[in-house]
PDB file of all heavy atoms in Angstrom:
ATOM      1  N   SER A 193     148.784 134.769  84.570  1.00  0.00           N
ATOM      2  CA  SER A 193     148.246 134.287  83.314  1.00  0.00           C
ATOM      3  C   SER A 193     146.864 134.654  83.046  1.00  0.00           C
ATOM      4  O   SER A 193     145.962 133.881  82.788  1.00  0.00           O
ATOM      5  CB  SER A 193     148.462 132.723  83.289  1.00  0.00           C
ATOM      6  OG  SER A 193     149.797 132.383  83.470  1.00  0.00           O
ATOM      7  N   ASP A 194     146.588 136.005  83.137  1.00  0.00           N
ATOM      8  CA  ASP A 194     145.283 136.568  82.831  1.00  0.00           C
ATOM      9  C   ASP A 194     144.195 136.238  83.799  1.00  0.00           C
ATOM     10  O   ASP A 194     143.005 136.449  83.619  1.00  0.00           O
ATOM     11  CB  ASP A 194     144.748 136.145  81.400  1.00  0.00           C
ATOM     12  CG  ASP A 194     145.667 136.608  80.237  1.00  0.00           C
ATOM     13  OD1 ASP A 194     146.093 137.758  80.402  1.00  0.00           O
ATOM     14  OD2 ASP A 194     145.906 135.812  79.408  1.00  0.00           O
ATOM     15  N   GLY A 195     144.648 135.842  85.032  1.00  0.00           N
ATOM     16  CA  GLY A 195     143.690 135.753  86.192  1.00  0.00           C
ATOM     17  C   GLY A 195     143.506 137.047  86.823  1.00  0.00           C
ATOM     18  O   GLY A 195     144.226 137.970  86.611  1.00  0.00           O
ATOM     19  N   LYS A 196     142.377 137.185  87.602  1.00  0.00           N
ATOM     20  CA  LYS A 196     141.995 138.445  88.178  1.00  0.00           C
ATOM     21  C   LYS A 196     141.470 138.182  89.633  1.00  0.00           C
ATOM     22  O   LYS A 196     140.732 137.304  89.832  1.00  0.00           O
ATOM     23  CB  LYS A 196     140.969 139.190  87.424  1.00  0.00           C
ATOM     24  CG  LYS A 196     140.600 140.564  87.900  1.00  0.00           C
ATOM     25  CD  LYS A 196     139.568 141.264  87.073  1.00  0.00           C
ATOM     26  CE  LYS A 196     139.225 142.619  87.651  1.00  0.00           C
ATOM     27  NZ  LYS A 196     138.218 143.274  86.743  1.00  0.00           N
ATOM     28  N   ALA A 197     142.004 138.997  90.593  1.00  0.00           N
ATOM     29  CA  ALA A 197     141.540 138.927  91.949  1.00  0.00           C
ATOM     30  C   ALA A 197     140.955 140.303  92.348  1.00  0.00           C
ATOM     31  O   ALA A 197     141.646 141.290  92.127  1.00  0.00           O
ATOM     32  CB  ALA A 197     142.653 138.531  92.891  1.00  0.00           C
ATOM     33  N   VAL A 198     139.738 140.356  92.887  1.00  0.00           N
ATOM     34  CA  VAL A 198     139.124 141.582  93.141  1.00  0.00           C
ATOM     35  C   VAL A 198     138.748 141.586  94.691  1.00  0.00           C
ATOM     36  O   VAL A 198     138.167 140.601  95.175  1.00  0.00           O
ATOM     37  CB  VAL A 198     137.839 141.797  92.346  1.00  0.00           C
ATOM     38  CG1 VAL A 198     137.151 143.093  92.854  1.00  0.00           C
ATOM     39  CG2 VAL A 198     138.172 141.798  90.842  1.00  0.00           C
ATOM     40  N   SER A 199     139.157 142.650  95.359  1.00  0.00           N
ATOM     41  CA  SER A 199     138.777 142.801  96.816  1.00  0.00           C
ATOM     42  C   SER A 199     139.228 141.764  97.749  1.00  0.00           C
ATOM     43  O   SER A 199     138.480 141.409  98.659  1.00  0.00           O
ATOM     44  CB  SER A 199     137.212 143.023  96.892  1.00  0.00           C
ATOM     45  OG  SER A 199     136.839 144.146  96.095  1.00  0.00           O
ATOM     46  N   ALA A 200     140.449 141.184  97.545  1.00  0.00           N
ATOM     47  CA  ALA A 200     141.000 140.310  98.466  1.00  0.00           C
ATOM     48  C   ALA A 200     141.430 141.044  99.744  1.00  0.00           C
ATOM     49  O   ALA A 200     141.770 142.196  99.737  1.00  0.00           O
ATOM     50  CB  ALA A 200     142.174 139.545  97.862  1.00  0.00           C
ATOM     51  N   TYR A 201     141.423 140.325 100.868  1.00  0.00           N
ATOM     52  CA  TYR A 201     141.857 140.875 102.138  1.00  0.00           C
ATOM     53  C   TYR A 201     142.977 140.079 102.660  1.00  0.00           C
ATOM     54  O   TYR A 201     142.903 138.821 102.781  1.00  0.00           O
ATOM     55  CB  TYR A 201     140.739 140.925 103.165  1.00  0.00           C
ATOM     56  CG  TYR A 201     141.126 141.427 104.455  1.00  0.00           C
ATOM     57  CD1 TYR A 201     141.373 142.766 104.736  1.00  0.00           C
ATOM     58  CD2 TYR A 201     141.314 140.564 105.546  1.00  0.00           C
ATOM     59  CE1 TYR A 201     141.845 143.261 105.920  1.00  0.00           C
ATOM     60  CE2 TYR A 201     141.711 141.046 106.771  1.00  0.00           C
ATOM     61  CZ  TYR A 201     141.992 142.333 106.969  1.00  0.00           C
ATOM     62  OH  TYR A 201     142.436 142.876 108.202  1.00  0.00           O
ATOM     63  N   LEU A 202     144.154 140.687 102.929  1.00  0.00           N
ATOM     64  CA  LEU A 202     145.354 139.952 103.450  1.00  0.00           C
ATOM     65  C   LEU A 202     145.593 140.363 104.883  1.00  0.00           C
ATOM     66  O   LEU A 202     145.655 141.613 105.166  1.00  0.00           O
ATOM     67  CB  LEU A 202     146.593 140.355 102.587  1.00  0.00           C
ATOM     68  CG  LEU A 202     146.508 140.331 101.088  1.00  0.00           C
ATOM     69  CD1 LEU A 202     147.797 140.709 100.498  1.00  0.00           C
ATOM     70  CD2 LEU A 202     145.999 138.957 100.593  1.00  0.00           C
ATOM     71  N   GLU A 203     145.808 139.480 105.748  1.00  0.00           N
ATOM     72  CA  GLU A 203     146.159 139.756 107.144  1.00  0.00           C
ATOM     73  C   GLU A 203     146.895 138.595 107.732  1.00  0.00           C
ATOM     74  O   GLU A 203     146.323 137.467 107.767  1.00  0.00           O
ATOM     75  CB  GLU A 203     144.946 140.095 107.996  1.00  0.00           C
ATOM     76  CG  GLU A 203     145.383 140.599 109.373  1.00  0.00           C
ATOM     77  CD  GLU A 203     144.191 141.101 110.210  1.00  0.00           C
ATOM     78  OE1 GLU A 203     142.998 140.680 109.906  1.00  0.00           O
ATOM     79  OE2 GLU A 203     144.388 141.899 111.078  1.00  0.00           O
ATOM     80  N   GLY A 204     148.079 138.841 108.245  1.00  0.00           N
ATOM     81  CA  GLY A 204     148.777 137.814 109.056  1.00  0.00           C
ATOM     82  C   GLY A 204     148.504 137.799 110.477  1.00  0.00           C
ATOM     83  O   GLY A 204     147.478 138.327 110.935  1.00  0.00           O
TER      84      GLY A 204
END
Side-chain angles (χ1 to χ4, degrees):
S193 303
D194 298 317
K196 183 177 181 180
V198 178
S199 299
Y201 177 74
L202 314 179
E203 184 174 27

